[in-house]
Amino acid sequence: MSVLEVRDLRVTYAGGFAAVRGVDLELTAGQKLGVAGESGCGKSTLALTLLRLLPAGAQVSGQVLLDGEDVLTMRWGRLRAVRWAGASLVFQGAMHSLNPVHRVADQIAEPIVLHGRATPGAARRRAGELLEQVGLPAARGRAYPHELSGGQRQRVMIAMALACEPGLIIADEPTTALDVMVQAQILRLIEGLVADEELSLIMISHDLAVLADTCDRLAIMYAGRIVEKGPAHKVFTSPHHPYAQALASAFPRIGDPTARFAPHGLPGDPPDPSALPPGCAFHPRCGVALDTCASEDQTLRAAGVGRAAACVHVGEGR
């Protein structure tokens, strides 16, 4: 059963910035989907659109079906009920997302009360249970955000996301600001909670290796579009699209002389969303582009079982 279906989603900001251009996604119950790409590829805009959190000036079209209901056409009352209880979002900057003048337990308890799940007293007790579930003593609920470390604040954000028992968690770069040791702890925590609570997960990151280790499937975004998708391990180890290949090769492998003495990278930056190049948006940075790539756009085509890539070099049935 599909928990989430995204159909031909398009988001344009004021000034003609096309941040998301025709994205299609499907997430089944219990599935973990990773969305990867450089900064500016549309990942965070996609995450915000799933719960209709974009600024008022954004133009949105397409469908975002959460348990069969279109988030984009919901009335405000229904949308408020769906946020936190149907799907919740873990932001990348916990210090900017938490209220600095309220204790963290009160912030965890707030959505529980607002959604009518418990009385204020019971909600505070539930907040303590959630803190312990994410590896913090319940007593830390009396702390203010500035009294916690970065990893502890991120755990609080995860506890808040779990507060109303949603079926879908959307994690937008949840470990970007953390050191590698704490990052590994948070990733294992999320992975364990998703398995224990039988949740669906969308994990958004620029780190392809993290997503390949955490998720079942991967979707690679470039210039607002998905250019490759498929099983996580296969997309990471044998990508078809040149952009996905560049992302995968950008991560050095310990003990691999090739990675040490000949590190790979990708020159340039993603294109300006308000002035996209004609044809395939990646062709100005692509080392294997053909003349036709500059004039003919590429759409996703079959690239093996359960895989697809938007590249002229990928043949049908490959």
Side-chain angles (χ1 to χ4, degrees):
M1 178 181 176
S2 293
V3 172
L4 178 73
E5 286 186 72
V6 178
R7 299 175 180 172
D8 194 26
L9 183 64
R10 299 174 185 273
V11 180
T12 304
Y13 292 118
F17 283 72
V20 176
R21 304 185 299 132
V23 165
D24 294 293
L25 284 176
E26 183 175 4
L27 187 70
T28 57
Q31 192 175 56
K32 297 172 289 183
L33 172 68
V35 180
E38 295 169 285
S39 296
C41 287
K43 307 184 304 299
S44 292
T45 294
L46 173 63
L48 294 173
T49 308
L50 297 182
L51 286 176
R52 222 164 97 190
L53 294 170
L54 294 173
Q59 299 179 4
V60 185
S61 64
Q63 288 184 307
V64 176
L65 302 178
L66 183 62
D67 291 326
E69 291 186 81
D70 192 351
V71 172
L72 303 182
T73 59
M74 285 179 181
R75 294 182 178 273
W76 281 109
R78 178 56 182 157
L79 183 61
R80 289 187 64 188
V82 165
R83 291 172 178 168
W84 295 102
S88 58
L89 183 60
V90 179
F91 294 98
Q92 58 178 298
M95 194 62 186
H96 302 295
S97 302
L98 295 170
N99 191 321
V101 299
H102 289 289
R103 300 180 192 276
V104 295
D106 293 335
Q107 298 186 57
I108 297 171
E110 182 180 11
I112 301 175
V113 174
L114 289 176
H115 281 266
R117 298 295 185 95
T119 62
R124 283 192 290 273
R125 289 192 293 274
R126 174 60 177 154
E129 294 172 357
L130 286 165
L131 286 172
E132 293 181 347
Q133 191 175 357
V134 298
L136 288 176
R140 296 302 283 158
R142 293 187 55 78
Y144 292 95
H146 72 272
E147 297 177 311
L148 301 175
S149 69
Q152 289 174 330
R153 288 194 293 267
Q154 203 62 46
R155 290 173 186 268
V156 171
M157 290 295 296
I158 295 169
M160 290 178 67
L162 295 171
C164 293
E165 301 177 333
L168 170 64
I169 300 291
I170 305 163
D172 184 12
E173 304 264 15
T175 60
T176 297
L178 306 177
D179 64 70
V180 291
M181 294 297 291
V182 177
Q183 180 186 83
Q185 295 171 9
I186 295 297
L187 289 173
R188 295 287 80 81
L189 171 64
I190 293 174
E191 194 171 13
L193 289 171
V194 167
D196 293 343
E197 303 295 326
E198 298 182 346
L199 302 174
S200 300
L201 171 71
I202 295 179
M203 175 86 78
I204 295 174
S205 177
H206 63 277
D207 193 330
L208 200 60
V210 164
L211 296 180
D213 186 49
T214 307
C215 299
D216 306 316
R217 293 183 61 80
L218 278 180
I220 310 298
M221 286 192 73
Y222 186 80
R225 283 187 174 176
I226 293 176
V227 296
E228 182 163 354
K229 59 184 178 180
H233 179 72
K234 290 186 177 180
V235 172
F236 182 60
T237 57
S238 58
H240 288 296
H241 195 281
Y243 179 64
Q245 293 169 5
L247 285 182
S249 63
F251 296 94
R253 295 171 175 82
I254 296 175
D256 183 356
T258 303
R260 179 181 177 186
F261 295 110
H264 294 277
L266 185 62
D269 298 300
D272 183 342
S274 64
L276 294 171
C280 173
F282 184 63
H283 86 264
R285 305 172 72 190
C286 182
V288 294
L290 303 178
D291 291 342
T292 56
C293 297
S295 58
E296 297 179 8
D297 203 356
Q298 302 297 318
T299 58
L300 289 170
R301 61 187 73 185
V305 179
R307 302 185 64 179
C311 180
V312 69
H313 295 287
V314 175
E316 291 290 343
R318 177 179 170 183

